[in-house]
Amino acid sequence: MTQAPAATKAARRRHDREIVALAVPAFGALVAEPLFVMADSAIVGHLGTAQLAGLGVASALLMTAVSVFVFLAYATTAAVSRRVGAGDLQAAIRQGMDGIWLALLLGAAVIAVALPTAPALVDLFGASDTAAPYALTYLRISSLGIPAMLVVLAATGVLRGLQDTRTPLYVAIGGFVANALLNVGLVYGAGLGIAGSAWGTVIAQWAMAAVYLFVVVRGARRHGASLLPDLAGIRASAQAGAPLLVRTLSLRAILMIATAVAARMGDEDIAAHQIILSLWSLLAFALDAIAIAGQAIIGRYLGANDPEGARAACRRMVQWGIVAGIVLGLLVVLTRPLFIPLFTGDQLVQDTALPALVVVALSQPICGIVFVLDGVLMGAGDGPYLAWAMIATLAVFTPVALLVPALGGGLTALWGAMTLMMTVRMLTLWLRSRSGRWIVTGATR
């Protein structure tokens, strides 16, 4: 076998350095929000079972609401990185400000809906009579932090587009520490109970948003970018994000269907499913970190009118995704006898989860390709295709998942259906990447 030319090796090393520099800090920032919930749960859990149950319901509602708007980060990253590649930092930051203004408007709209409908939402999620008052208290107070959470998403997208994933990591660490300290102080020190936990989280979220705004505003002033809202720019940000919203909603529907099917299999199956889903989500964070690097790098290459650089970066990141998937799959296989007992001592639940985890492990290389290509196409601003591809995936997955219990399949079969879903995603994304239609150069798509 002949060795690759020195120029090719140098390009690979350059891509590797860029991927590592962006992906490692991105992973740290990605796990911040789940850590917020874990810290709140640990602190509130000592107040009582009813309070913890109420927190669980309210947190599920809040996380669902915020996850729907994750397009604020994705679309902003793609738009800003293109302008960075084109060498127009003023326009890049101006684009980022439009995304932040959109986040504030959406946040205000969510509050306007959440506050009056909070009792109905809590009831819809099936909170018990004892847990409902605590869920309602937490939800109403925490809703005030939603605009801050959306600003954090948009501002994170700005910094990722500027090829900076370290600042979001530092802000995430600071926010986590502040949230934990405020929760302890307000819940126990001030005696506010679950309301103290909600207020502590709101204060921490607004503090994070303030830090992000300080960083972005400082950059805007340095490069002469306007801070005032621009209706045309805000509208453009919304239009770019709309297809990604459809994609996210379709993905959420897939996860909800899988959970609903598992729930109908029995208590042991749904318990095992929740354990596996938590691990699957953690593995997704690791792979999504590479996807975030892909968004920033691909957008920059396309903005710089360098299609060959974009193709080469895409190929290298796919290789990273495959290797990362293989490593994660092996870790799952090796640690599954140790991992499951951390969540449950029920032998039936453990026996149900173990074979399903093997399926999850085998699917990780597929997941690695999916996450990377997802990030590449997001970085290219190929949102409409991603939306249609996810709708098609939902259409394939739904009947297969619903047939699992009808045909007598168990949890392992359900996670086989989840693997089929990821395989369909991989094929749709691979076909698009091979077509080259995602490669549109210039400061805007």
Side-chain angles (χ1 to χ4, degrees), residues 78-79 81-82 294-296 298-300 302 374-382:
S81 61
R82 273 184 176 270
Q295 293 172 30
I298 293 298
R300 192 189 73 229
L302 295 178
D374 209 35
V376 166
L377 297 185
M378 283 183 190
D382 204 12

Side-chain angles (χ1 to χ4, degrees), residues 192-244:
L192 296 179
I194 195 169
S197 176
W199 281 117
T201 301
V202 168
I203 293 169
Q205 287 163 344
W206 276 107
M208 292 172 67
V211 173
Y212 273 117
L213 288 174
F214 172 78
V215 173
V216 174
V217 168
R218 183 180 60 184
R221 288 176 174 168
R222 182 185 304 129
H223 296 287
S226 173
L227 300 174
L228 297 176
D230 176 60
L231 291 180
I234 294 172
R235 191 182 306 112
S237 295
Q239 289 172 345
L244 297 180

Side-chain angles (χ1 to χ4, degrees), residues 61-121:
L61 285 164
L62 288 165
M63 292 301 294
T64 299
V66 173
S67 66
V68 165
F69 297 108
V70 73
F71 70 84
L72 288 166
Y74 295 157
T76 305
T77 298
V80 172
S81 61
R82 273 184 176 270
R83 286 163 175 78
V84 169
D88 192 347
L89 289 177
Q90 183 186 71
I93 296 176
R94 174 64 260 178
Q95 181 72 42
M97 287 303 305
D98 293 335
I100 290 173
W101 279 111
L102 176 61
L104 285 169
L105 291 173
L106 290 173
V110 172
I111 288 180
V113 172
L115 290 179
T117 61
L121 291 171

Side-chain angles (χ1 to χ4, degrees), residues 261 264-265 400-410 414:
V261 170
R264 283 160 176 76
M265 293 178 177
V400 174
L402 295 178
L403 279 172
V404 168
L407 297 176
L414 177 60

Side-chain angles (χ1 to χ4, degrees), residues 226-438:
S226 173
L227 300 174
L228 297 176
D230 176 60
L231 291 180
I234 294 172
R235 191 182 306 112
S237 295
Q239 289 172 345
L244 297 180
L245 173 61
V246 173
R247 167 202 168 275
T248 301
L249 290 173
S250 300
L251 179 57
R252 297 295 300 183
I254 287 170
L255 298 178
M256 289 175 65
I257 290 169
T259 300
V261 170
R264 283 160 176 76
M265 293 178 177
D267 290 346
E268 288 79 15
D269 291 273
I270 185 60
H273 176 75
Q274 288 302 114
I275 293 171
I276 295 170
L277 190 60
S278 67
L279 175 62
W280 192 79
S281 299
L282 179 62
L283 298 173
F285 282 133
L287 296 173
D288 204 27
I290 305 175
I292 286 169
Q295 293 172 30
I297 293 170
I298 293 298
R300 192 189 73 229
Y301 274 115
L302 295 178
N305 292 305
D306 186 358
E308 288 306 315
R311 287 192 184 92
C314 175
R315 286 193 297 269
R316 192 58 176 164
M317 280 182 284
V318 168
Q319 293 169 359
W320 269 77
I322 294 171
V323 172
I326 292 172
V327 171
L328 291 174
L330 289 173
L331 286 175
V332 171
V333 171
L334 294 174
T335 62
R336 64 192 177 105
L338 304 174
F339 172 78
I340 298 176
L342 294 176
F343 289 84
T344 179
D346 189 320
Q347 191 61 46
L348 283 175
V349 175
Q350 293 184 22
D351 292 343
T352 302
L354 279 172
L357 272 179
V358 175
V359 176
V360 171
L362 293 173
S363 71
Q364 288 310 297
I366 297 173
C367 294
I369 297 172
V370 168
F371 277 87
V372 167
L373 290 180
D374 209 35
V376 166
L377 297 185
M378 283 183 190
D382 204 12
Y385 181 82
L386 290 172
W388 284 111
M390 190 60 78
I391 291 172
T393 303
L394 174 61
V396 172
F397 172 77
T398 301
V400 174
L402 295 178
L403 279 172
V404 168
L407 297 176
L411 190 66
T412 302
L414 177 60
W415 276 93
M418 289 286 285
T419 301
L420 172 65
M421 177 271 294
M422 294 301 290
T423 303
V424 172
R425 288 187 68 189
M426 180 183 71
L427 290 174
T428 58
L429 297 174
W430 178 78
L431 287 172
R432 186 65 167 182
S433 68
R434 290 280 293 177
S435 74
R437 294 178 183 175
W438 57 278

Side-chain angles (χ1 to χ4, degrees), residues 134-161:
Y134 297 111
L136 188 58
T137 297
Y138 192 92
L139 181 60
R140 280 178 167 162
I141 296 172
S142 292
S143 295
L144 302 177
I146 288 177
M149 296 168 76
L150 299 189
V151 166
V152 167
L153 283 176
T156 299
V158 176
L159 296 181
R160 289 173 182 169

